[in-house]
Amino acid sequence: MRRSRRRKRTVSARIEGDTVVVLMPAGLPRSEERRLISDMLGKLARSGRRRGTRASDAELMQRAKGLSREWLDGRAVPTSVRWVPAMTTRWASCTQASGEIRISEALRDVPPYVLDYVVLHELAHLVVPGGHPPEFWRVVRRFPGPSGRWATSRPTRGCCARARPEPRRARR
């Protein structure tokens, strides 16, 4: 439990590693603290059931290493693969110079084959530098996807960009 003098009314809880941390205002009576902690633990348990088990950054890194071995002959060696808060325009990103891969938390609940494709796509950037030249797509297309193979044509939109909703038009 962390008490804060600056926190006046709100109580929140989060998981840090193997520990549940409850943040609350300083100066609450002990009985109120116990009740709030119990409430927050219940909320965390319910939200965990809704989301199912969540892969950690370490598990994401292991997934990436396995995909690299299986589909890229181990040529992609990322320095880190981690979850990041939901990005506004991308599902994932890769910094080739440092070997870092970041995967949007928005992908935590997608089917495994979708996550595998996105991770493999980012791993391919470590193998074929320079954006998305034809060689990049040859490497990515080695991954079969859900139906045994992915489409043979390149996507019409930027593959690393999330589809944006069309702007609403004013009603007349």
Side-chain angles (χ1 to χ4, degrees):
M1 173 180 22
R2 293 189 191 148
R3 295 178 187 93
S4 169
R5 288 189 193 113
R6 293 186 332 188
R7 190 178 282 261
K8 300 299 179 198
R9 294 191 294 191
T10 60
V11 177
S12 63
R14 65 175 176 244
I15 297 174
E16 293 180 359
D18 294 334
T19 306
V20 175
V21 177
V22 178
L23 305 152
M24 63 178 51
L28 290 175
R30 297 286 178 208
S31 61
E32 182 70 3
E33 284 181 356
R34 282 191 296 275
R35 185 187 66 75
L36 290 170
I37 289 171
S38 177
D39 290 351
M40 296 311 291
L41 290 174
K43 285 183 180 182
L44 275 177
R46 286 190 300 278
S47 71
R49 279 195 301 269
R50 240 188 344 264
R51 287 190 305 254
T53 56
R54 302 277 264 339
S56 67
D57 288 350
E59 291 167 324
L60 194 58
M61 180 65 146
Q62 289 306 313
R63 178 180 221 123
K65 287 178 179 178
L67 287 166
S68 177
R69 273 191 309 274
E70 186 173 354
W71 299 104
L72 302 173
D73 303 320
R75 294 182 294 159
V77 183
T79 57
S80 76
V81 182
R82 61 189 172 91
W83 295 105
V84 296
M87 300 180 214
T88 56
T89 60
R90 298 178 187 271
W91 294 116
S93 64
C94 174
T95 304
Q96 293 170 342
S98 65
E100 294 177 44
I101 294 175
R102 291 158 302 282
I103 307 294
S104 172
E105 294 230 348
L107 294 175
R108 280 192 179 266
D109 297 321
V110 299
Y113 71 87
V114 174
L115 180 59
D116 286 349
Y117 175 81
V118 172
V119 171
L120 186 86
H121 177 103
E122 298 307 323
L123 288 168
H125 283 295
L126 298 176
V127 175
V128 182
H132 300 102
E135 175 58 23
F136 172 86
W137 291 112
R138 279 192 285 281
V139 168
V140 170
R141 284 196 197 101
R142 292 178 63 191
F143 182 69
S147 62
R149 66 180 186 82
W150 289 98
T152 56
S153 62
R154 293 192 336 183
T156 55
R157 297 183 130 196
C159 64
C160 296
R162 284 165 84 174
R164 294 187 189 144
E166 293 296 320
R168 288 186 164 191
R169 296 201 171 120
R171 287 187 161 181
R172 294 183 186 172

